[in-house]
Amino acid sequence: MRTSIQICGLLIGFVLPILPGMLLLRIVLKKQLRGILTWVTAFILGQSFFTLLLFVVGIAGLPLTFFSTIFILLVLTIFLWSIMRLCQRTNISPQQPTNTLTQIYNSTSCVQPLSYSRLLQIILILALILLFLLIGAISLTEAVSDRPGQAIWAFKAKVFFTEQSIPTALFKDNFRPYSEMSYPLDYALFLSWLYMWMGEINDHLIKLVPALLAMLVGVLMYSICRDQQMSMNKSLAFTLVLCGNTPFIACGQQMYAEHLLTLQVLAGFYFLYCFLNNTEQKRLLLAGFLLLGGGAWIKNEGLLIYTVAFALLLLLRGSRKWNIRNLAKDLPAMITPALIFILPWFLFRSLLNIPTIDFNFGKIIDINQWFFLPNIKEIARVFLKKMFLEIRYSCGVWILLAFTTIVHAPQLARRRASRFLAIAIAIIILVYFAVFLFSTKRLDWHLRIVPRILLVPSSLALMLVALTTRSQNKERK
Amino acid sequence: MRQVRLIIFNLLLTSAVTVSGYNIWKMTGVLGEKVTRGLEENISWNVELIRLAQKHVCKGKPCFVWILPVLRKEISTETQVFEFNYYLYPSKVYYMNDSEIGLCDFVICEQALRTHFERTANALNLGNKFRIVGENDDTCIYQRK
């Protein structure tokens, strides 16, 4: 009975951030969206904003109890609702509720491709259901028993829940170097919020969270494919390919933050992709960067991805119609999310002088000594092996991408949105490569995480494959 | 040519889906194994030791961990320390430098390292300041007198 109540609490706590997220999405896009994509995006935005608010309240010294956090959520929701109402009043021509991003922002009509067979559809749906049930069941067989849980995320959540605050002493504690105090607090605060809903620390049930997040990544991928008017069979197939690889499954069973980051980055890049298809819609740009900003609030890796997207968009926007006025219009939408999500955490970090343990630019090896050169071969070998040879690790995502890139090269070069995605994926992988190459840490220590860090780029790669093949079909018709 | 490309792409996609299916199949085996072995064993690498430590280490008191890696299960000392750190919170767990023993009220020590620990404690002038409060076949727990 007690466990049932705790599971109910966990699920309620998990879905509640959708409320402010939905309102925020309506404010940003100024339109009412429908469909699963909206719900998933609302969850992502809502939980980022909510945990950011918890962080601000926590470092201000206010207690983080069950009732105070509910009060915070309520205030945030009412505040966003008031802004939304204000926006609706000032809106001269209210928009009709519409279904998908593609229908709103693409002027071209989309053709629904024929589905292959009903049987295949049922098999794919059953496979996905089985996959997520297995991820959830295997997660529940173990308590928090992995390094990211025990040392980083669940540990910090436990501290916040027990202390009912964000104790700054924890971040100054030199005896906890393995707790990675330089990592942002989004995931830890979200977990502690769920502990509040469960009423106590439950080391078994909390393992459901990564499994639920894994499921959301699958739902997001499916909804992106469907948003692009792709057939149900193909959408399900792409979802299964994304969710069926070994690192994805492993991250769903352990307390890694990878799935939360994948959610933010995948949704963020999809909004930017839509923006580049119709650059008049600045709201998509803001929504995209808000999501990517949320990614930077989850892991330091998210900041790298945000920076790549920022720099690349500046270059691509400038390449054709270089116009200072255009750029001036875009920049606020690109910078504001950084100020909202990244600035508070970095101010906090610099005030407390929290060092980065994994990698920082103070730890770069002496380039003049050239002894890093032999590492290039080793790093390239591991990357290529994990991407192309060990099919169970990648499920052939990179082979699909390579094939699509070769076959659809002219289309990729011609379409700005596809080009943006392709270059972003390449740069992100190159930056990982460079970090491994110049880091002073042991190379094998870095290389063991290659399959896991490739999760985010591989989700983007699969999205690019889906969007490219889909638009190719559409162009042909 | 387009048809050929489409066929190759569909073949690749089908292969990818098949690999996913294979991974799901392997997962059913993993779940079956875990259920067969029993849930209890999976709670931690050594649930008995965690329980022993939780029983004897006073809440919030600093603790030094001196244990060997479990080579059979490929579990490093560091991993075990993470686990102690997590399950004994709010106690601080130390493990790196011998000199930190002086900061601690408890020491969790592998039976095989007992003599080594007592020799080190003597060298740090802490020899008669610890007494055993709990032990099992593999590990003993010292408390500062």
Side-chain angles (χ1 to χ4, degrees):
Chain A
M1 184 64 184
R2 194 171 160 202
T3 314
S4 312
I5 293 169
Q6 283 187 348
I7 292 177
C8 286
L10 176 88
L11 293 176
I12 293 169
F14 194 86
V15 298
L16 269 182
I18 291 178
L19 273 175
M22 194 63 94
L23 294 169
L24 194 67
L25 201 63
R26 278 192 73 174
I27 293 166
V28 173
L29 296 178
K30 285 192 179 169
K31 283 171 189 175
Q32 188 184 337
L33 294 172
R34 282 184 198 152
I36 324 166
L37 181 65
T38 323
W39 290 94
V40 182
T41 316
F43 167 78
I44 304 167
L45 270 179
Q47 77 85 24
S48 297
F49 264 87
F50 179 53
T51 53
L52 186 74
L53 208 60
L54 289 185
F55 170 67
V56 174
V57 169
I59 57 170
L62 296 169
L64 291 176
T65 59
F66 178 68
F67 291 107
S68 72
T69 48
I70 288 199
F71 180 71
I72 292 165
L73 186 77
L74 207 67
V75 169
L76 179 68
T77 309
I78 292 169
F79 175 71
L80 290 173
W81 185 77
S82 321
I83 293 182
M84 192 194 74
R85 297 288 295 172
L86 206 69
C87 291
Q88 276 177 345
R89 264 182 219 161
T90 51
N91 198 352
I92 300 160
S93 56
Q95 306 282 340
Q96 288 298 310
T98 37
N99 283 324
T100 64
L101 273 182
T102 322
Q103 284 175 357
I104 299 168
Y105 298 111
N106 277 4
S107 50
T108 53
S109 65
C110 302
V111 186
Q112 179 79 34
L114 286 172
S115 59
Y116 301 136
S117 73
R118 189 82 180 154
L119 182 69
L120 185 65
Q121 209 173 81
I122 293 167
I123 291 171
L124 289 170
I125 290 172
L126 285 177
L128 277 166
I129 292 172
L130 183 66
L131 173 74
F132 294 123
L133 282 179
L134 281 169
I135 292 179
I138 295 177
S139 301
L140 285 176
T141 58
E142 285 183 343
V144 176
S145 59
D146 44 72
R147 186 174 175 269
Q150 285 176 352
I152 308 170
W153 310 113
F155 172 68
K156 286 180 195 169
K158 191 175 187 174
V159 174
F160 300 153
F161 175 74
T162 316
E163 305 286 331
Q164 297 191 339
S165 64
I166 299 175
T168 47
L170 181 79
F171 297 91
K172 293 174 185 167
D173 190 349
N174 292 327
F175 296 108
R176 297 190 197 274
Y178 39 79
S179 291
E180 307 285 6
M181 289 305 170
S182 63
Y183 285 8
L185 298 178
D186 175 286
Y187 194 32
L189 282 166
F190 186 57
L191 292 177
S192 69
W193 154 257
L194 295 178
Y195 278 143
M196 286 172 206
W197 272 91
M198 285 193 278
E200 63 176 20
I201 291 166
N202 188 322
D203 295 315
H204 270 93
L205 280 187
I206 202 69
K207 292 282 301 285
L208 264 182
V209 177
L212 287 171
L213 291 172
M215 194 184 73
L216 276 185
V217 175
V219 172
L220 179 64
M221 186 70 202
Y222 174 77
S223 56
I224 285 173
C225 292
R226 294 295 284 165
D227 195 61
Q228 289 289 323
Q229 314 297 309
M230 208 177 272
S231 75
M232 196 172 174
N233 277 356
K234 266 201 167 172
S235 307
L236 288 168
F238 279 118
T239 310
L240 194 59
V241 173
L242 176 68
C243 303
N245 62 59
T246 321
F248 185 94
I249 294 167
C251 286
Q253 293 163 5
Q254 298 179 332
M255 297 300 293
Y256 287 108
E258 252 65 19
H259 288 322
L260 197 53
L261 183 67
T262 309
L263 274 174
Q264 301 271 8
V265 173
L266 197 60
F269 269 92
Y270 181 60
F271 273 80
L272 293 183
Y273 177 89
C274 292
F275 164 72
L276 285 168
N277 276 334
N278 187 349
T279 47
E280 295 305 307
Q281 302 295 338
K282 306 280 183 220
R283 293 184 295 269
L284 287 175
L285 182 71
L286 178 63
F289 273 100
L290 273 175
L291 288 158
L292 289 180
W297 170 229
I298 295 166
K299 285 189 87 177
N300 292 330
E301 209 177 311
L303 180 62
L304 152 82
I305 295 167
Y306 186 98
T307 316
V308 169
F310 184 91
L312 205 56
L313 212 71
L314 274 187
L315 283 174
L316 283 178
R317 288 286 281 151
S319 61
R320 256 189 200 175
K321 297 177 195 167
W322 178 255
N323 188 331
I324 297 293
R325 199 181 292 169
N326 260 347
L327 199 65
K329 278 180 194 168
D330 286 357
L331 272 177
M334 293 160 79
I335 293 171
T336 317
L339 295 176
I340 295 171
F341 284 108
I342 303 166
L343 200 64
W345 171 244
F346 274 83
L347 280 176
F348 179 74
R349 261 184 71 175
S350 56
L351 279 175
L352 292 187
N353 204 10
I354 303 169
T356 312
I357 303 293
D358 278 353
F359 176 83
N360 64 49
F361 289 101
K363 285 185 178 176
I364 288 178
I365 56 166
D366 187 357
I367 296 171
N368 294 327
Q369 290 181 4
W370 297 106
F371 60 72
F372 64 90
L373 279 177
N375 288 347
I376 294 178
K377 194 180 155 195
E378 179 59 14
I379 300 170
R381 190 185 68 76
V382 173
F383 265 91
L384 291 175
K385 192 177 158 197
K386 297 292 177 199
M387 287 162 80
F388 294 100
L389 296 179
E390 289 188 357
I391 302 294
R392 274 193 72 196
Y393 279 100
S394 62
C395 276
V397 170
W398 299 101
I399 297 173
L400 275 171
L401 180 69
F403 179 79
T404 312
T405 313
I406 294 164
V407 171
H408 301 298
Q411 188 205 348
L412 275 173
R414 199 171 58 245
R415 297 188 68 215
R416 196 164 39 174
S418 305
R419 206 164 66 220
F420 166 72
L421 258 181
I423 299 172
I425 295 164
I427 293 177
I428 291 168
I429 292 174
L430 281 176
V431 174
Y432 288 149
F433 197 95
V435 167
F436 291 178
L437 191 62
F438 296 118
S439 169
T440 46
K441 281 220 169 189
R442 271 173 43 203
L443 189 60
D444 59 340
W445 190 85
H446 279 306
L447 291 179
R448 77 197 153 82
I449 60 162
V450 168
R452 185 157 55 84
I453 60 156
L454 281 175
L455 267 183
V456 175
S458 70
S459 66
L460 292 177
L462 200 65
M463 183 168 81
L464 178 62
V465 172
L467 296 175
T468 310
T469 51
R470 175 255 159 200
S471 49
Q472 178 75 8
N473 291 342
K474 203 180 84 181
E475 273 177 18
R476 211 165 55 234
K477 278 169 184 169
Chain B
M1 191 61 191
R2 268 180 184 169
Q3 285 299 319
V4 174
R5 272 190 265 164
L6 196 65
I7 289 169
I8 296 173
F9 180 80
N10 283 342
L11 271 175
L12 285 172
L13 190 60
T14 313
S15 313
V17 170
T18 313
V19 176
S20 298
Y22 175 73
N23 283 342
I24 295 171
W25 170 248
K26 294 291 276 185
M27 276 172 73
T28 52
V30 174
L31 182 67
E33 223 174 81
K34 279 180 188 275
V35 171
T36 319
R37 268 192 301 160
L39 304 181
E40 183 80 344
E41 200 186 310
N42 296 313
I43 289 171
S44 108
W45 63 278
N46 189 347
V47 69
E48 290 301 320
L49 180 54
I50 293 288
R51 284 193 183 145
L52 187 74
Q54 281 178 329
K55 187 178 165 190
H56 292 288
V57 176
C58 298
K59 205 176 176 184
K61 295 288 180 190
C63 170
F64 191 88
V65 175
W66 198 337
I67 42 179
L68 294 166
V70 186
L71 295 177
R72 187 169 45 87
K73 292 184 181 175
E74 294 183 351
I75 299 168
S76 66
T77 301
E78 209 180 31
T79 306
Q80 297 175 64
V81 171
F82 296 148
E83 195 155 49
F84 279 116
N85 184 53
Y86 183 77
Y87 284 107
L88 296 181
Y89 182 81
S91 291
K92 254 187 199 177
V93 175
Y94 299 83
Y95 77 110
M96 272 185 179
N97 304 315
D98 297 350
S99 59
E100 288 167 353
I101 294 171
L103 301 171
C104 299
D105 291 325
F106 289 88
V107 176
I108 298 168
C109 180
E110 190 98 30
Q111 290 283 16
L113 295 171
R114 207 163 140 176
T115 327
H116 193 177
F117 164 69
E118 281 166 10
R119 211 179 298 148
T120 311
N122 280 334
L124 293 166
N125 295 327
L126 297 166
N128 53 358
K129 290 192 177 161
F130 284 96
R131 66 187 167 94
I132 292 178
V133 286
E135 63 181 315
N136 62 18
D137 292 344
D138 303 318
T139 323
C140 58
I141 296 175
Y142 289 89
Q143 184 181 11
R144 193 186 276 268
K145 285 177 193 167

